Amino acid sequence: GNSVTQMEGPVTLSEEAFLTINCTYTATGYPSLFWYVQYPGEGLQLLLKATKADDKGSNKGFEATYRKETTSFHLEKGSVQVSDSAVYFCALSAYSGNTPLVFGKGTRLSVIA
Amino acid sequence: DTAVSQTPKYLVTQMGNDKSIKCEQNLGHDTMYWYKQDSKKFLKIMFSYNNKELIINETVPNRFSPKSPDKAHLNLHINSLELGDSAVYFCASSQRTGGQETQYFGPGTRLLVL
């Protein structure tokens, strides 16, 4: 079946540090890949997505590249801010009809000033 | 305007009670979902409806019954609530395009069963 594995948290960084959250997936066919973010007490918001190999999704300084050869979609940001503190979810949607998102377990990021 | 809204935002109730959570989307999407997020933040699909028709029903107890009166609404009714039902329930919607669509989530309903 389809699955997503992302690095265990929590991750604690100082402001302006470089962020990487690893995400790998297992899927049949050609899934679309997503990063969602959940700020404290809120619902999930789409952060970025990529729908085919070598696509790069980017938003708010975050980037992730769809790597089919390594089945990965790692999230990166060059300089994190305190306001980036949240839980980050990697997810995939299989390209076959109407499928729900399959989520990783989430990675909590805390950025300290 | 809120794209996907849920009511109530918080729900505290006793074991054995029956409760409902409502979800509405104003995005014109044809597909809606219910996800459950447990205490460890793990998210899992419960149900999915496309054009009011149930298309995904994961291994969820029969006490949970989704109802979709129209494409814009997907409600979740829970009978005989149990302690283990305590979680955050998220509604989401998307427009069916074969897997590339973005799902938009509601703010969540925090259910606590005492």
Side-chain angles (χ1 to χ4, degrees), chain A residues 8 10 14 29 31 34 39 41 44 55-56 59 62 67 78 83 92 110:
Chain A
E8 298 272 337
S14 298
F34 304 82
Y39 297 103
L44 279 80
D55 265 5
K56 178 187 281 188
N59 185 25
F62 291 89
R67 301 281 188 207
S83 56
L92 72 81
S110 295

PDB file of all heavy atoms in Angstrom, chain A residues 8 10 14 29 31 34 39 41 44 55-56 59 62 67 78 83 92 110:
ATOM      1  N   GLU A   8      11.294  11.757  12.636  1.00  0.00           N
ATOM      2  CA  GLU A   8      10.654  11.952  13.936  1.00  0.00           C
ATOM      3  C   GLU A   8      11.064  13.303  14.486  1.00  0.00           C
ATOM      4  O   GLU A   8      12.171  13.754  14.325  1.00  0.00           O
ATOM      5  CB  GLU A   8      11.118  10.855  14.907  1.00  0.00           C
ATOM      6  CG  GLU A   8      10.745   9.452  14.479  1.00  0.00           C
ATOM      7  CD  GLU A   8       9.378   9.066  14.992  1.00  0.00           C
ATOM      8  OE1 GLU A   8       8.932   9.664  15.980  1.00  0.00           O
ATOM      9  OE2 GLU A   8       8.760   8.179  14.400  1.00  0.00           O
ATOM     10  N   PRO A  10      10.616  15.928  18.143  1.00  0.00           N
ATOM     11  CA  PRO A  10      10.570  17.315  17.679  1.00  0.00           C
ATOM     12  C   PRO A  10      11.924  17.823  17.215  1.00  0.00           C
ATOM     13  O   PRO A  10      12.957  17.288  17.582  1.00  0.00           O
ATOM     14  CB  PRO A  10      10.108  18.067  18.929  1.00  0.00           C
ATOM     15  CG  PRO A  10      10.593  17.248  20.065  1.00  0.00           C
ATOM     16  CD  PRO A  10      10.555  15.817  19.592  1.00  0.00           C
ATOM     17  N   SER A  14      17.416  27.276  16.243  1.00  0.00           N
ATOM     18  CA  SER A  14      17.509  28.699  16.531  1.00  0.00           C
ATOM     19  C   SER A  14      17.063  29.470  15.302  1.00  0.00           C
ATOM     20  O   SER A  14      17.152  28.985  14.165  1.00  0.00           O
ATOM     21  CB  SER A  14      18.945  29.086  16.885  1.00  0.00           C
ATOM     22  OG  SER A  14      19.346  28.410  18.051  1.00  0.00           O
ATOM     23  N   GLY A  29       2.502   3.669  -9.008  1.00  0.00           N
ATOM     24  CA  GLY A  29       2.200   4.719  -9.976  1.00  0.00           C
ATOM     25  C   GLY A  29       2.959   5.999  -9.689  1.00  0.00           C
ATOM     26  O   GLY A  29       4.072   5.984  -9.171  1.00  0.00           O
ATOM     27  N   PRO A  31       2.456   9.301  -7.691  1.00  0.00           N
ATOM     28  CA  PRO A  31       1.661  10.099  -6.765  1.00  0.00           C
ATOM     29  C   PRO A  31       1.980  11.586  -6.857  1.00  0.00           C
ATOM     30  O   PRO A  31       3.031  11.978  -7.365  1.00  0.00           O
ATOM     31  CB  PRO A  31       2.080   9.555  -5.400  1.00  0.00           C
ATOM     32  CG  PRO A  31       3.490   9.113  -5.613  1.00  0.00           C
ATOM     33  CD  PRO A  31       3.521   8.559  -7.024  1.00  0.00           C
ATOM     34  N   PHE A  34       2.794  16.365  -1.187  1.00  0.00           N
ATOM     35  CA  PHE A  34       2.368  17.594  -0.529  1.00  0.00           C
ATOM     36  C   PHE A  34       3.112  17.767   0.794  1.00  0.00           C
ATOM     37  O   PHE A  34       3.484  16.802   1.459  1.00  0.00           O
ATOM     38  CB  PHE A  34       0.867  17.545  -0.195  1.00  0.00           C
ATOM     39  CG  PHE A  34      -0.029  17.275  -1.366  1.00  0.00           C
ATOM     40  CD1 PHE A  34      -0.244  15.980  -1.823  1.00  0.00           C
ATOM     41  CD2 PHE A  34      -0.691  18.319  -2.004  1.00  0.00           C
ATOM     42  CE1 PHE A  34      -1.080  15.723  -2.891  1.00  0.00           C
ATOM     43  CE2 PHE A  34      -1.527  18.065  -3.082  1.00  0.00           C
ATOM     44  CZ  PHE A  34      -1.721  16.768  -3.519  1.00  0.00           C
ATOM     45  N   TYR A  39      -0.373  24.993  12.356  1.00  0.00           N
ATOM     46  CA  TYR A  39       0.040  25.894  13.422  1.00  0.00           C
ATOM     47  C   TYR A  39      -0.753  25.557  14.679  1.00  0.00           C
ATOM     48  O   TYR A  39      -1.838  24.983  14.595  1.00  0.00           O
ATOM     49  CB  TYR A  39      -0.164  27.348  13.008  1.00  0.00           C
ATOM     50  CG  TYR A  39       0.695  27.738  11.828  1.00  0.00           C
ATOM     51  CD1 TYR A  39       0.159  27.853  10.547  1.00  0.00           C
ATOM     52  CD2 TYR A  39       2.063  27.965  11.982  1.00  0.00           C
ATOM     53  CE1 TYR A  39       0.950  28.180   9.460  1.00  0.00           C
ATOM     54  CE2 TYR A  39       2.859  28.291  10.892  1.00  0.00           C
ATOM     55  CZ  TYR A  39       2.294  28.390   9.641  1.00  0.00           C
ATOM     56  OH  TYR A  39       3.090  28.698   8.558  1.00  0.00           O
ATOM     57  N   GLY A  41      -3.190  24.925  17.442  1.00  0.00           N
ATOM     58  CA  GLY A  41      -4.617  25.168  17.584  1.00  0.00           C
ATOM     59  C   GLY A  41      -5.375  25.381  16.288  1.00  0.00           C
ATOM     60  O   GLY A  41      -6.554  25.747  16.318  1.00  0.00           O
ATOM     61  N   LEU A  44      -5.089  22.193   9.114  1.00  0.00           N
ATOM     62  CA  LEU A  44      -3.962  22.025   8.203  1.00  0.00           C
ATOM     63  C   LEU A  44      -4.066  22.998   7.043  1.00  0.00           C
ATOM     64  O   LEU A  44      -5.137  23.224   6.497  1.00  0.00           O
ATOM     65  CB  LEU A  44      -3.934  20.602   7.640  1.00  0.00           C
ATOM     66  CG  LEU A  44      -3.327  19.551   8.543  1.00  0.00           C
ATOM     67  CD1 LEU A  44      -4.329  19.120   9.584  1.00  0.00           C
ATOM     68  CD2 LEU A  44      -2.870  18.360   7.725  1.00  0.00           C
ATOM     69  N   ASP A  55       9.720  18.079 -10.185  1.00  0.00           N
ATOM     70  CA  ASP A  55       9.018  19.322  -9.857  1.00  0.00           C
ATOM     71  C   ASP A  55       9.534  19.839  -8.526  1.00  0.00           C
ATOM     72  O   ASP A  55       9.791  19.070  -7.608  1.00  0.00           O
ATOM     73  CB  ASP A  55       7.509  19.060  -9.721  1.00  0.00           C
ATOM     74  CG  ASP A  55       6.760  19.348 -10.988  1.00  0.00           C
ATOM     75  OD1 ASP A  55       7.404  19.668 -12.001  1.00  0.00           O
ATOM     76  OD2 ASP A  55       5.521  19.241 -10.967  1.00  0.00           O
ATOM     77  N   LYS A  56       9.624  21.148  -8.410  1.00  0.00           N
ATOM     78  CA  LYS A  56       9.963  21.764  -7.125  1.00  0.00           C
ATOM     79  C   LYS A  56       8.783  22.595  -6.672  1.00  0.00           C
ATOM     80  O   LYS A  56       8.322  23.481  -7.403  1.00  0.00           O
ATOM     81  CB  LYS A  56      11.200  22.644  -7.246  1.00  0.00           C
ATOM     82  CG  LYS A  56      11.565  23.343  -5.936  1.00  0.00           C
ATOM     83  CD  LYS A  56      12.682  24.353  -6.102  1.00  0.00           C
ATOM     84  CE  LYS A  56      14.025  23.701  -6.168  1.00  0.00           C
ATOM     85  NZ  LYS A  56      15.136  24.680  -6.140  1.00  0.00           N
ATOM     86  N   ASN A  59       7.079  27.818  -1.343  1.00  0.00           N
ATOM     87  CA  ASN A  59       6.126  28.759  -0.767  1.00  0.00           C
ATOM     88  C   ASN A  59       6.706  29.282   0.541  1.00  0.00           C
ATOM     89  O   ASN A  59       7.250  28.499   1.334  1.00  0.00           O
ATOM     90  CB  ASN A  59       4.775  28.074  -0.497  1.00  0.00           C
ATOM     91  CG  ASN A  59       3.720  29.031  -0.020  1.00  0.00           C
ATOM     92  OD1 ASN A  59       3.772  30.230  -0.281  1.00  0.00           O
ATOM     93  ND2 ASN A  59       2.731  28.507   0.673  1.00  0.00           N
ATOM     94  N   PHE A  62       9.966  28.052   1.871  1.00  0.00           N
ATOM     95  CA  PHE A  62      10.119  26.603   1.931  1.00  0.00           C
ATOM     96  C   PHE A  62      10.191  26.032   0.521  1.00  0.00           C
ATOM     97  O   PHE A  62       9.553  26.531  -0.397  1.00  0.00           O
ATOM     98  CB  PHE A  62       8.931  25.960   2.666  1.00  0.00           C
ATOM     99  CG  PHE A  62       8.874  26.251   4.133  1.00  0.00           C
ATOM    100  CD1 PHE A  62       8.203  27.375   4.600  1.00  0.00           C
ATOM    101  CD2 PHE A  62       9.469  25.400   5.045  1.00  0.00           C
ATOM    102  CE1 PHE A  62       8.144  27.653   5.958  1.00  0.00           C
ATOM    103  CE2 PHE A  62       9.406  25.666   6.405  1.00  0.00           C
ATOM    104  CZ  PHE A  62       8.747  26.791   6.855  1.00  0.00           C
ATOM    105  N   ARG A  67      11.682  13.780  -5.891  1.00  0.00           N
ATOM    106  CA  ARG A  67      12.778  12.946  -6.395  1.00  0.00           C
ATOM    107  C   ARG A  67      12.279  11.513  -6.543  1.00  0.00           C
ATOM    108  O   ARG A  67      12.139  10.777  -5.564  1.00  0.00           O
ATOM    109  CB  ARG A  67      13.954  12.949  -5.407  1.00  0.00           C
ATOM    110  CG  ARG A  67      14.533  14.327  -5.132  1.00  0.00           C
ATOM    111  CD  ARG A  67      15.442  14.773  -6.229  1.00  0.00           C
ATOM    112  NE  ARG A  67      16.146  16.008  -5.891  1.00  0.00           N
ATOM    113  CZ  ARG A  67      16.565  16.863  -6.799  1.00  0.00           C
ATOM    114  NH1 ARG A  67      16.349  16.647  -8.099  1.00  0.00           N
ATOM    115  NH2 ARG A  67      17.213  17.954  -6.420  1.00  0.00           N
ATOM    116  N   GLY A  78      15.926  27.915   4.166  1.00  0.00           N
ATOM    117  CA  GLY A  78      17.265  28.421   4.421  1.00  0.00           C
ATOM    118  C   GLY A  78      17.436  29.129   5.738  1.00  0.00           C
ATOM    119  O   GLY A  78      18.508  29.085   6.353  1.00  0.00           O
ATOM    120  N   SER A  83       8.032  32.265  13.811  1.00  0.00           N
ATOM    121  CA  SER A  83       6.668  32.050  13.301  1.00  0.00           C
ATOM    122  C   SER A  83       6.534  30.762  12.486  1.00  0.00           C
ATOM    123  O   SER A  83       5.406  30.367  12.150  1.00  0.00           O
ATOM    124  CB  SER A  83       6.237  33.231  12.436  1.00  0.00           C
ATOM    125  OG  SER A  83       7.162  33.434  11.380  1.00  0.00           O
ATOM    126  N   LEU A  92       0.954  12.141   0.486  1.00  0.00           N
ATOM    127  CA  LEU A  92       0.866  11.788  -0.926  1.00  0.00           C
ATOM    128  C   LEU A  92      -0.574  11.480  -1.295  1.00  0.00           C
ATOM    129  O   LEU A  92      -1.394  11.100  -0.454  1.00  0.00           O
ATOM    130  CB  LEU A  92       1.774  10.614  -1.267  1.00  0.00           C
ATOM    131  CG  LEU A  92       1.440   9.205  -0.792  1.00  0.00           C
ATOM    132  CD1 LEU A  92       0.395   8.513  -1.668  1.00  0.00           C
ATOM    133  CD2 LEU A  92       2.712   8.349  -0.812  1.00  0.00           C
ATOM    134  N   SER A 110      10.116  23.537  16.479  1.00  0.00           N
ATOM    135  CA  SER A 110      10.123  24.673  17.394  1.00  0.00           C
ATOM    136  C   SER A 110      11.319  25.543  17.054  1.00  0.00           C
ATOM    137  O   SER A 110      12.455  25.049  17.025  1.00  0.00           O
ATOM    138  CB  SER A 110      10.214  24.214  18.853  1.00  0.00           C
ATOM    139  OG  SER A 110       9.077  23.490  19.219  1.00  0.00           O
TER     140      SER A 110
END
